[in-house]
Amino acid sequence: MGGPRFEPVRTVRAYERIVEQIEEAIESGALGPGARLASERELMVQFSVSRSTVREALRVLQSRGLVRSRPGDPNGAEVLPFSPAALHKSMTTLARVAELSLSELVQFRMVLDAAALLLAARLRTEEQLEEMAAAVERMKEADRDTFSDADVAFHDVVARASGNKLIQVCTDVVRSVVVGLIAGKIAAAPDEEALMRRSIAHHEEVLAAVRAGDGPLAARLFRRSVYDYYAGYVPEEERIALQALLE
């Protein structure tokens, strides 16, 4: 029989409709950071729902990092500024339940940080170069407990130097998720000191390329360093995808 094909409809609960409307208002800019929603009683009237339905909607919005809500607050829930915390939580959850493999996360980091370096080599300031150099020096002086912080500081500066806020958020989230997944394995590695020394050497090479304004070289060196650092923690059959990014 001809004609259009239809799909089964999903029953949508009242609180989900409330969440959708408030999310749309936030995304469109009608509700900005610091703005207040109406009180629970007023929201009950506006949406023609019960108090429990309003509270469930506010709970969902709060879990997504969009508002801060306290039951009974006469001023209403406060709209929060964007934070990478919600994105970090979602990606961590995906990784933990195996919907995102370590290989996929490392691939994404290789692509994303390499793009940041391409931009940073062109756009960095002298002050940012000094910050990168200072981070490398801290890596040289660090022990196993503080090495990661110095490494993160280096890449935070690179992300800022890229001038792209989305890159800054995503690189921070992906890096922390990857490190969190294998932190225990790295700490237990018998050649941890050798890994740290190689990492420092790679960072010095990347910094020299950024200083020289050679973004393609900096990106290529970075991809190689990430591969060398993480390949041992990725299943052998999945390394081919990482290797494709080295070409």
Side-chain angles (χ1 to χ4, degrees), residues 8 11 28 32 35 39 49 54 86 88 95 112 138 156 166 183-184 187 196 212 215 228:
T11 300
S28 69
S39 68
V49 296
V54 167
H88 183 280
L112 201 60
R138 290 203 300 277
D156 280 347
L166 190 56
M196 290 166 61
D228 289 346

Side-chain angles (χ1 to χ4, degrees), residues 50-107:
S50 67
R51 185 182 296 275
S52 62
T53 300
V54 167
R55 287 186 173 177
E56 179 63 15
L58 293 175
R59 185 194 65 76
V60 172
L61 290 165
Q62 183 161 281
S63 71
R64 296 179 183 177
L66 296 175
V67 305
R68 176 166 49 231
S69 173
R70 292 186 296 274
D73 186 348
N75 296 315
E78 179 185 3
V79 177
L80 298 175
F82 172 76
S83 167
L87 179 60
H88 183 280
K89 181 178 180 180
S90 297
M91 291 191 70
T92 301
T93 300
L94 281 171
R96 296 295 185 192
V97 299
E99 290 187 27
L100 279 179
S101 68
L102 176 60
S103 173
E104 289 172 314
L105 288 163
V106 172
Q107 287 174 47

Side-chain angles (χ1 to χ4, degrees), residues 121 145 151 162:
D145 296 323
D151 178 43
S162 77

Side-chain angles (χ1 to χ4, degrees), residues 6-163:
F6 298 107
E7 297 180 356
V9 296
R10 181 178 68 88
T11 300
V12 179
R13 297 179 180 179
Y15 81 86
E16 293 177 306
R17 289 298 191 194
I18 298 174
V19 169
E20 288 175 1
Q21 290 189 51
I22 294 176
E23 280 185 331
E24 288 173 3
I26 293 173
E27 291 168 0
S28 69
L31 286 172
R36 291 276 187 171
L37 301 182
S39 68
E40 287 184 359
R41 184 178 296 278
E42 291 171 339
L43 290 176
M44 289 166 57
V45 173
Q46 289 180 31
F47 290 111
S48 297
V49 296
S50 67
R51 185 182 296 275
S52 62
T53 300
V54 167
R55 287 186 173 177
E56 179 63 15
L58 293 175
R59 185 194 65 76
V60 172
L61 290 165
Q62 183 161 281
S63 71
R64 296 179 183 177
L66 296 175
V67 305
R68 176 166 49 231
S69 173
R70 292 186 296 274
D73 186 348
N75 296 315
E78 179 185 3
V79 177
L80 298 175
F82 172 76
S83 167
L87 179 60
H88 183 280
K89 181 178 180 180
S90 297
M91 291 191 70
T92 301
T93 300
L94 281 171
R96 296 295 185 192
V97 299
E99 290 187 27
L100 279 179
S101 68
L102 176 60
S103 173
E104 289 172 314
L105 288 163
V106 172
Q107 287 174 47
F108 189 47
R109 186 180 176 195
M110 289 172 74
V111 170
L112 201 60
D113 280 66
L117 283 161
L118 284 169
L119 291 168
R122 180 73 63 88
L123 303 174
R124 87 291 184 280
T125 65
E126 288 300 318
E127 290 77 13
Q128 287 167 337
L129 280 176
E130 291 176 4
E131 288 185 67
M132 294 178 208
V136 172
E137 290 304 311
R138 290 203 300 277
M139 291 173 71
K140 293 178 181 178
E141 299 169 359
D143 57 23
R144 61 191 301 174
D145 296 323
T146 57
F147 185 85
S148 180
D149 290 339
D151 178 43
V152 167
F154 178 90
H155 292 288
D156 280 347
V157 181
V158 170
R160 282 192 283 109
S162 77

Side-chain angles (χ1 to χ4, degrees), residues 216-246:
L217 175 59
R220 189 163 60 251
L221 289 168
F222 171 78
R223 289 193 296 268
R224 168 54 67 179
S225 70
V226 170
Y227 178 83
D228 289 346
Y229 197 79
Y230 292 112
Y233 305 104
V234 173
E236 187 172 355
E237 65 274 12
E238 296 180 15
R239 290 178 199 167
I240 188 170
L242 300 182
Q243 293 165 357
L245 295 173
L246 301 178

